[in-house]
Amino acid sequence: MCGIVGYIGTRDAYPILINGLKRLEYRGYDSAGVALVTENGEINLYKCKGKVKNLEEFVSNSDLSGHVGIAHTRWATHGEPNDVNAHPHYSHSGSIAIIHNGIIENYAVLKEALMENGYEFKSDTDTEVLVNLIEYVRMTNNCSLLEAVQGALKQVIGAYAIAVVEKGNPKEIIAARQSSPLVVGIGKGEFFLASDASPLVEYTDKVVYIKNGEIALLNIDSPLKVVDFDNVESKVNVKKLEMSISQLEKGGYPHFMLKEINEQPKTITDCIRGRISPDSFEVKLSGIIDHADKFLNARRIVFVACGTSWHASLIGKRMIEEYCQIPVVVEYASEFRYSNPVICDKDIVIAVSQSGETADTLAAIELAKSKGAFVFGICNVIGSSIARETDSGVYLHVGPEIGVASTKAFTGQVTVMAMIALTVAKEKGTISEEKAVTIARDLYRLPKVLEKVLTLNNQIADFVKRFTYAKNFIYLGRGYNYPTALEGALKLKEISYIHAEGYPAAEMKHGPIALIDQDMPTVAIAVTDHVYEKVVSNIQEVKSRGGVVIAIVAEKDEIVSKMADFCIKVPSLSECLMPIVVAVPLQLFAYHIAVCKGLDVDQPRNLAKSVTVE
Ligand code: F6R
């Protein structure tokens, strides 16, 4: 939540910062701002409520000169989204400006102490407390800006990635992190900083991921220096950035979400590349093989995740229980972190996260580690905090996901879980050769199957027009597709603002059936699997109460096709992979309803893509 970006070098900072903010807007879009340090050391600070484009209009007649600057796009935590609470924030005297992603938990105590020392506050933010604390430390100790940042951060409890600039100091940016992501890009005589690598990609492929408790000194006259709060210097570990600009652009699609839905045949290809043999259909994940003993002797597997990643984990649970015969539980990371779970060193905790930065999932990992569990990560963003904090793991390799509603990450996660189940089951000998080859062959066929599913786009775009009136939807599924129903409902909620509930189809008669009438459509997943007949009965129950049914069925379906009001026909694959096939029309369904309603699909209200606060 919140995106930060900074530049110091010889180019004009403003265009770099604005482009960077646009790349990071998925992290929050309540307000935006920029602080530019001019040649003579003055700071020009501009900020306003709304998206980055509002900021561009707001500054159109302003002095935007300067080769040093910091900028911010906000997802509000402390204080409503307005001009005053927007970042950057000045210190009391106006000498220091700060941008911040995260939460300062002890801000109230610090604020009170600063107020007793004559500090006044303009905003309701925790960030203004931090910048004033830095100024206070600097003034009372007559120390350098770096020492002031170190002194202030030692007093702070919370999560942050910050960057500060100072009046009269046009040669330096100081940035620090604790539990919020921070990447520094190294160019020729210039440095960049950002919450993730996307704002840096067109300028450099040399990046340094700043670790927790580290401070980066970006000085125009010196190489990058990284120190901790006690000024102990750490080695600067430069990594090559594997990302291209085209991955960060819409590529002719009106929205990132539609681009990402359509990318899925390719992203699944990338996800399975080198992991499934095209001849023997043997599946191999080195992250599992290298720790085979852990998986062979696991007492239990615990998935921790949030949102869409939690839904994918529910599917992973079924696969691992069915094929590996290991008991699996799936926990919301936010609940797990505050529980007292019975975890020991025979347990494996699998953390699932597209961004690799979700605060609750990171906290769950910390707890699992403290109890001795082996922690395995399933992440998309390379080099992310979760990828670094886990003992082993597997990347999705589906490319940057920018649309706030997760699509290709979900299908990538389920694909990875199928490969994990097959790898472990093979090692354990709990799956027959024939079954393993059938599933692996189907994984291999997935990209072609998804290409076919995507041809349903026009049909879906056409019939959803009739459903924009609906205020509520119910999504029903069973077995492997119960989590798919949850995921379909989540997609609709988050981008169309229509209330939707996912339910295990048979549970409906224990309560929700009371809601069924002609105004509440039901989306039923009734593909050919071992619970098909049961779902048919559940659909019958809806129809006999006057409900309107949109069904997702197999191409050869003859029963539900006659009962449902609208049918979406999809190809059939192994049962455990059907959630991937079914997810795509559900994504298109939510997308087209939101478009029909004229909503901002890529940046739905109140949401941010990377939830780095709890
Ligand atoms: C929904 C969505 C969220 C995320 C959740 C976890 O479309 O994107 O529910 O799935 O915030 O995020 P990650 O996977 O980055 O940990």
Side-chain angles (χ1 to χ4, degrees):
M1 338 274 317
C2 300
I4 66 169
V5 54
Y7 175 76
I8 180 162
T10 48
R11 312 185 207 207
D12 284 341
Y14 175 77
I16 295 171
L17 297 174
I18 283 292
N19 285 340
L21 286 186
K22 285 181 183 163
R23 293 238 198 276
L24 292 178
E25 217 171 3
Y26 73 88
R27 300 178 67 88
Y29 30 83
D30 291 336
S31 61
V34 58
L36 297 160
V37 188
T38 63
E39 290 285 270
N40 57 9
E42 290 303 314
I43 298 179
N44 287 321
L45 192 153
Y46 312 102
K47 56 185 186 173
C48 62
K49 184 180 168 177
K51 299 192 173 177
V52 177
K53 67 174 181 329
N54 297 53
L55 176 67
E56 282 182 290
E57 282 159 25
F58 181 69
V59 300
S60 54
N61 295 318
S62 310
D63 175 5
L64 299 174
S65 62
H67 306 301
V68 182
I70 54 176
H72 188 270
T73 179
R74 179 168 188 245
W75 187 86
T77 55
H78 292 69
E80 65 174 276
N82 58 26
D83 295 349
V84 178
N85 289 333
H87 298 214
H89 287 282
Y90 269 134
S91 60
H92 186 241
S93 72
S95 64
I96 303 172
I98 193 170
I99 48 172
H100 166 217
N101 164 32
I103 287 186
I104 307 301
E105 284 170 16
N106 58 339
Y107 83 100
V109 183
L110 296 170
K111 188 171 182 175
E112 215 176 293
L114 286 164
M115 284 166 85
E116 278 166 16
N117 282 284
Y119 277 78
E120 284 166 12
F121 290 83
K122 297 187 183 70
S123 76
D124 308 317
T125 65
D126 50 344
T127 306
E128 197 185 1
V129 175
L130 178 54
V131 71
N132 278 328
L133 183 61
I134 295 171
E135 180 178 288
Y136 177 75
V137 175
R138 178 135 162 71
M139 284 174 155
T140 46
N141 298 313
N142 197 17
C143 60
S144 69
L145 182 61
L146 170 64
E147 287 163 336
V149 170
Q150 287 167 325
L153 293 182
K154 280 184 185 170
Q155 300 178 49
V156 158
I157 300 168
Y160 48 80
I162 60 161
V164 294
V165 289
E166 191 179 34
K167 217 171 177 174
N169 186 0
K171 294 198 163 188
E172 192 169 64
I173 301 178
I174 293 179
R177 86 158 260 184
Q178 180 65 48
S179 305
S180 293
L182 180 63
V183 190
V184 171
I186 303 177
K188 286 202 178 78
E190 59 187 356
F191 297 111
F192 307 81
L193 71 86
S195 300
D196 71 27
S198 59
L200 320 180
V201 68
E202 54 240 79
Y203 310 108
T204 180
D205 63 356
K206 293 190 188 66
V207 293
V208 178
Y209 294 99
I210 304 301
K211 299 197 195 90
N212 280 342
E214 285 185 342
I215 300 178
L217 268 79
L218 279 51
N219 188 300
I220 193 71
D221 296 329
S222 323
L224 175 67
K225 190 170 167 190
V226 178
V227 296
D228 69 8
F229 298 172
D230 293 317
N231 216 28
V232 177
E233 201 167 335
S234 7
K235 188 174 175 289
V236 174
N237 193 357
V238 182
K239 294 238 155 63
K240 189 170 185 322
L241 185 60
E242 308 281 352
M243 196 186 268
S244 68
I245 297 177
S246 65
Q247 287 179 310
L248 303 172
E249 287 171 349
K250 287 190 197 149
Y253 287 95
H255 298 102
F256 280 111
M257 183 179 177
L258 189 60
K259 177 192 174 213
E260 286 160 9
I261 292 172
N262 277 281
E263 271 175 355
Q264 289 174 110
K266 176 172 183 305
T267 57
I268 299 292
T269 307
D270 293 342
C271 180
I272 62 177
R273 181 172 295 119
R275 293 163 166 176
I276 304 179
S277 151
D279 309 314
S280 63
F281 293 104
E282 198 175 345
V283 180
K284 275 209 171 119
L285 289 176
S286 56
I288 301 272
I289 307 274
D290 294 348
H291 301 277
D293 59 318
K294 295 277 179 201
F295 285 87
L296 292 178
N297 300 312
R299 183 185 75 135
R300 192 173 64 138
I301 290 178
V302 181
F303 277 101
V304 290
C306 303
T308 288
S309 299
W310 186 81
H311 296 154
S313 304
L314 292 175
I315 299 166
K317 168 188 160 74
R318 275 190 173 264
M319 291 175 180
I320 292 173
E321 289 191 333
E322 181 168 1
Y323 298 117
C324 311
Q325 300 296 304
I326 302 173
V328 183
V329 291
V330 181
E331 299 269 5
Y332 284 116
S334 55
E335 289 298 317
F336 180 86
R337 67 179 291 188
Y338 291 116
S339 63
N340 190 4
V342 185
I343 298 272
C344 71
D345 58 3
K346 285 215 159 19
D347 293 323
I348 297 177
V349 170
I350 303 186
V352 187
S353 173
Q354 186 286 128
S355 62
E357 300 295 346
T358 300
D360 285 323
T361 312
L362 270 162
I365 291 172
E366 206 175 303
L367 177 61
K369 277 182 159 178
S370 74
K371 302 225 169 219
F374 176 76
V375 183
F376 189 89
I378 301 178
C379 293
N380 189 35
V381 177
I382 294 171
S384 57
S385 302
I386 293 177
R388 291 202 307 264
E389 292 300 317
T390 41
D391 298 311
S392 177
V394 49
Y395 281 120
L396 305 183
H397 291 310
V398 299
E401 189 179 67
I402 294 165
V404 164
S406 188
T407 53
K408 62 178 179 174
F410 174 76
T411 51
Q413 286 165 342
V414 180
T415 303
V416 160
M417 285 170 192
M419 291 192 286
I420 291 175
L422 291 177
T423 309
V424 175
K426 195 76 192 296
E427 292 282 321
K428 277 193 84 180
T430 46
I431 192 167
S432 69
E433 182 64 22
E434 193 192 345
K435 188 77 192 168
V437 168
T438 306
I439 299 174
R441 204 188 287 269
D442 278 356
L443 275 169
Y444 219 77
R445 284 174 52 206
L446 251 176
K448 280 266 166 283
V449 166
L450 294 190
E451 270 170 24
K452 193 162 181 210
V453 175
L454 285 165
T455 62
L456 294 166
N457 180 61
N458 292 350
Q459 181 205 346
I460 296 173
D462 191 45
F463 83 73
V464 297
K465 292 181 194 136
R466 303 164 213 222
F467 292 105
T468 48
Y469 73 88
K471 301 235 173 328
N472 301 286
F473 266 84
I474 191 157
Y475 283 62
L476 300 179
R478 292 184 81 155
Y480 276 107
N481 281 308
Y482 157 52
T484 328
L486 295 179
E487 176 59 8
L490 177 64
K491 290 290 87 95
L492 190 70
K493 273 187 267 211
E494 60 187 335
I495 59 169
S496 75
Y497 316 148
I498 296 174
H499 168 244
E501 263 190 77
Y503 238 80
E507 273 296 302
M508 187 192 53
K509 56 185 168 298
H510 299 287
I513 199 163
L515 296 167
I516 301 286
D517 63 14
Q518 64 278 13
D519 295 327
M520 189 180 80
T522 297
V523 176
I525 304 167
V527 290
T528 327
D529 54 22
H530 77 286
V531 282
Y532 174 74
E533 275 84 20
K534 308 286 171 198
V535 181
V536 171
S537 309
N538 301 137
I539 294 174
Q540 197 64 62
E541 289 155 13
V542 174
K543 284 306 302 168
S544 47
R545 282 157 184 87
V548 176
V549 172
I550 301 144
I552 303 191
V553 298
E555 278 167 343
K556 292 192 181 129
D557 183 278
E558 286 184 354
I559 305 172
V560 175
S561 327
K562 293 193 186 106
M563 290 158 56
D565 300 270
F566 299 92
C567 262
I568 302 170
K569 296 197 167 189
V570 294
S572 297
L573 284 179
S574 293
E575 209 171 310
C576 65
L577 302 180
M578 284 312 287
I580 302 172
V581 179
V582 170
V584 175
L586 294 181
Q587 293 163 355
L588 287 169
F589 185 80
Y591 171 80
H592 286 297
I593 289 206
V595 169
C596 281
K597 292 183 79 176
L599 297 171
D600 190 343
V601 171
D602 283 334
Q603 295 176 349
R605 70 183 179 204
N606 306 339
L607 290 175
K609 183 128 191 93
S610 190
V611 186
T612 54
V613 296
E614 38 171 320

